[in-house]
């Protein structure tokens, strides 16, 4: 075959593979995206409920911070077992189970009357949701090779800012307009109504999702064979260690520390953004909800643009580091903003855009070299340990706010954790390991 003929054949092969993966993407990625939107909303809507809940139940900022964060303690202990069960039992049944149980527990938060009840329900909610996100990341490794997976993870995690774009105004509307209806406070309606979509989606997942490529009867056999051959070829280049080897890997524990720093920033935004806006002088719940759209909308654009650029260049480290630096600068700006609403909003926009972009870019690092059971355990271990920052961040911020009557010291601490995390990537994650 001539050189021109070879080039044409290569282009046709790329076009054909693109069409196959496009069909796979449209088959289940929109569903997983909606599930992630609902999951993140149910996880952080307590940040909006806080605006009314604390006064109604006479909770302190420290109580709120501890209760918001203890979710991640339950999450930590059950994350690895959950992901191993998903790997063994299949994503369809396990993700459906996760969604139904967390919906019931999240709705039950509406009946909290004491700090102890709040702590217990948040802890159990963490147990129920354990394995959801790392399970989705693991599921993507069954369908997409590394050069396509970064974009898919970014698309999936776009559910984070979208949940803020949709959830902020909706949460504000529910709390303002439904307060007192049926003898329920606005924050109680919030927990009940925002839990309902997860029940429906759990059933949809059970009947719609395919566990593996071989189960996808909607794809012709030759297309299933093509996808599986690409996944198998990539698997041969990965480390397929045992669960024990994963737990003793220095690289895996370094990734845990890196994610910990990013998550410190992520949940500072998720749990405290309404409080920061309120502290700048805005008191109406609906207005606060509408203003939260700005940081999340900016974050959505940023993560899509950066995700595409990362896949096109196949560079992974700086696509995590630069957003972390941007986020750190945003938190510092919030600390200096005082009662200036627009300066606070600019700082939150930088902070949200940075941490929300860094999170999907981070997941290209471990999935570049972990495979098999090692990937199931490793992804879960990294996510669960890193997400302990979801406990440390709100608990520490709440304690410091109670102690100092200001968020400033907490915001500087969050910015510092992001910078340390970025330095760990540059010094401990060589480009040859993760740039694939």
């Amino acid at each position: 075959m001539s050189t021109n003929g070879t080039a044409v054949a290569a282009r046709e092969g790329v076009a054909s593979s693109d069409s196959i993966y496009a069909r796979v993407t449209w088959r289940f990625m929109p569903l997983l995206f909606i599930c992630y939107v609902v999951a993140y909303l149910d996880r952080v809507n307590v940040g909006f409920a806080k605006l009314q809940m604390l006064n109604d139940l006479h909770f302190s900022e420290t109580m709120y911070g501890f209760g918001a964060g203890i979710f991640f303690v339950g999450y930590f202990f059950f994350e690895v077992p959950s992901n191993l069960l998903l790997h063994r039992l299949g994503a369809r049944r396990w993700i459906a189970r996760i969604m139904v149980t967390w919906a019931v527990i999240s709705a039950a938060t509406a009946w909290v009357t004491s700090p102890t009840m709040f702590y217990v329900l948040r802890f159990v909610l963490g147990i129920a949701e354990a394995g959801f996100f790392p399970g989705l990341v693991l599921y993507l490794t069954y369908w997409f090779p590394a050069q396509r997976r970064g974009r898919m993870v970014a698309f999936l995690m776009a559910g984070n800012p979208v949940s803020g774009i949709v959830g902020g105004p909706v949460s504000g509307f529910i709390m303002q307009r439904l307060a007192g209806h049926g003898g329920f406070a606005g924050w109680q309606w919030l927990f009940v109504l925002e839990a309902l979509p997860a029940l429906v989606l759990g059933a949809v997942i059970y009947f719609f999702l395919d566990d593996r490529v071989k189960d996808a009867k909607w794809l012709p056999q030759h297309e299933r064979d093509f996808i599986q051959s690409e996944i198998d070829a990539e698997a041969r280049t990965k480390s397929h260690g045992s669960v024990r080897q994963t737990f003793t890997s220095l690289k895996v524990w370094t990734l845990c520390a890196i994610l910990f720093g990013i998550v410190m920033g992520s949940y500072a935004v998720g749990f405290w953004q309404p409080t920061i806006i309120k502290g700048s002088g805005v008191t109406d719940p609906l207005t606060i909800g509408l203003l939260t759209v700005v940081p999340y909308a900016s974050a959505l654009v940023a993560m899509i643009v950066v995700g595409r650029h990362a896949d096109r260049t196949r560079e992974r480290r700086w696509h995590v580091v630069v957003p972390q630096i941007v986020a750190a600068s945003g938190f510092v700006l919030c600390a200096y903003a005082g009662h200036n609403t627009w300066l606070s909003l600019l700082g939150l926009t930088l902070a949200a855009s940075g941490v929300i972009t860094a999170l999907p870019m981070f997941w290209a690092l471990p999935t570049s070299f972990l495979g098999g059971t090692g990937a199931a355990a490793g992804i879960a271990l990294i996510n669960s340990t890193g997400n302990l920052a979801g406990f440390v961040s709100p608990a520490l911020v709440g304690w410091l706010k109670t102690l100092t009557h200001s968020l400033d010291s907490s915001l500087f601490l969050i910015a510092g954790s992001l910078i340390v995390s970025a330095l760990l990537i540059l010094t401990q994650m060589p480009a040859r390991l993760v740039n694939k």
Side-chain angles (χ1 to χ4, degrees):
M1 184 181 289
S2 67
T3 302
N4 287 341
T6 302
V8 170
R11 284 196 298 272
E12 289 176 350
V14 171
S16 176
S17 64
D18 285 346
S19 66
I20 293 171
Y21 281 110
R23 193 150 56 251
V24 171
T25 299
W26 284 108
R27 170 71 182 187
F28 59 75
M29 285 305 296
L31 174 60
L32 298 184
F33 170 80
I34 294 170
C35 289
Y36 190 77
V37 170
V38 172
Y40 196 82
L41 182 60
D42 281 350
R43 184 184 298 184
V44 302
N45 59 7
V46 69
F48 266 96
K50 169 185 182 289
L51 299 177
Q52 296 176 350
M53 187 179 183
L54 265 62
N55 287 334
D56 288 356
L57 301 180
H58 307 293
F59 286 3
S60 69
E61 296 281 355
T62 304
M63 290 175 183
Y64 162 74
F66 184 80
I70 202 172
F71 167 96
F72 295 96
V73 178
Y75 199 81
F76 171 77
F77 284 112
F78 288 86
E79 186 93 319
V80 173
S82 179
N83 231 34
L84 292 173
L85 283 169
L86 182 146
H87 187 61
R88 177 175 297 180
L89 301 176
R92 180 177 63 88
R93 284 181 288 177
W94 198 247
I95 293 175
R97 192 283 306 164
I98 288 173
M99 297 194 71
V100 170
T101 52
W102 102 50
V104 172
I105 296 165
S106 183
T109 311
W111 284 271
V112 160
T113 58
S114 69
T116 301
M117 289 179 65
F118 182 47
Y119 301 156
V120 169
L121 280 173
R122 290 291 296 178
F123 178 78
V124 176
L125 183 63
I127 294 173
E129 194 180 324
F132 176 72
F133 173 70
L136 295 186
V137 173
L138 179 64
Y139 184 67
L140 294 181
T141 68
Y142 301 157
W143 289 86
F144 297 96
Q147 69 268 23
R148 298 177 184 273
R149 197 163 50 244
R151 195 178 308 170
M152 293 302 103
V153 175
F155 176 72
L156 177 66
M157 295 192 71
N160 182 327
V162 167
S163 73
I165 293 170
V166 175
V170 170
S171 297
F173 177 85
I174 290 172
M175 290 176 62
Q176 181 170 300
R177 298 298 174 88
L178 295 183
H181 284 262
F184 267 28
W187 61 269
Q188 291 176 302
W189 279 113
L190 179 70
F191 284 122
V192 172
L193 294 179
E194 291 188 352
L196 294 178
L199 282 174
V200 177
L201 288 168
V204 174
I205 285 284
Y206 184 81
F207 290 106
F208 189 78
L209 211 61
D210 297 300
D211 287 328
R212 300 276 185 163
V213 176
K214 64 181 176 61
D215 302 317
K217 305 304 182 185
W218 45 273
L219 279 176
Q221 185 63 51
H222 71 277
E223 293 185 356
R224 279 180 270 167
D225 292 342
F226 169 75
I227 295 173
Q228 193 61 58
S229 68
E230 292 214 325
I231 300 301
D232 291 343
E234 181 184 84
R236 288 190 287 271
T237 69
K238 293 181 176 182
S239 170
H240 288 259
S242 65
V243 174
R244 181 177 179 180
Q245 289 172 321
T246 299
F247 273 73
T248 57
S249 168
L250 179 61
K251 289 188 182 71
V252 169
W253 285 105
T254 301
L255 287 163
C256 291
I258 291 167
L259 181 60
F260 189 95
I262 300 173
V263 173
M264 284 286 287
S266 176
Y267 286 110
V269 173
F271 287 130
W272 294 96
Q273 182 171 226
T275 301
I276 292 172
I277 295 174
K278 185 177 181 180
S280 72
V282 182
T283 57
D284 177 66
L286 181 56
T287 303
I288 292 172
L290 291 171
L291 288 176
T292 62
V293 170
V294 177
Y296 283 121
S298 299
L300 177 61
V301 174
M303 73 184 300
I304 291 173
V305 170
V306 173
R308 287 179 176 174
H309 189 265
D311 275 357
R312 186 167 63 251
T313 62
R314 299 199 182 183
E315 196 289 322
R316 304 301 177 186
R317 299 191 309 160
W318 286 102
H319 286 84
V320 188
V321 169
V322 172
Q324 287 178 283
I325 295 171
V326 170
S329 66
F331 284 114
V332 170
L333 184 58
C334 285
Y336 284 110
H339 296 292
N340 187 318
T341 300
W342 298 112
L343 200 58
S344 294
L345 199 61
L346 175 59
L348 285 170
T349 299
L350 293 174
S353 298
V355 293
I356 288 172
T357 298
L359 279 169
M361 296 303 98
F362 165 83
W363 285 108
L365 306 182
T367 56
S368 293
F369 62 88
L370 291 173
T373 303
I379 291 170
L381 176 63
I382 292 164
N383 191 63
S384 61
T385 305
N387 270 285
L388 279 177
F391 170 70
V392 175
S393 180
L396 188 59
V397 171
W399 177 73
L400 286 173
K401 189 173 187 298
T402 299
L403 186 67
T404 65
H405 304 290
S406 171
L407 282 174
D408 293 356
S409 57
S410 304
L411 295 172
F412 287 125
L413 181 64
I414 298 298
S417 71
L418 286 160
I419 296 300
V420 171
S421 176
L423 290 174
L424 282 174
I425 293 174
L426 295 178
T427 59
Q428 302 300 317
M429 292 285 116
R432 57 181 167 74
L433 181 68
V434 297
N435 288 349
K436 297 180 181 180

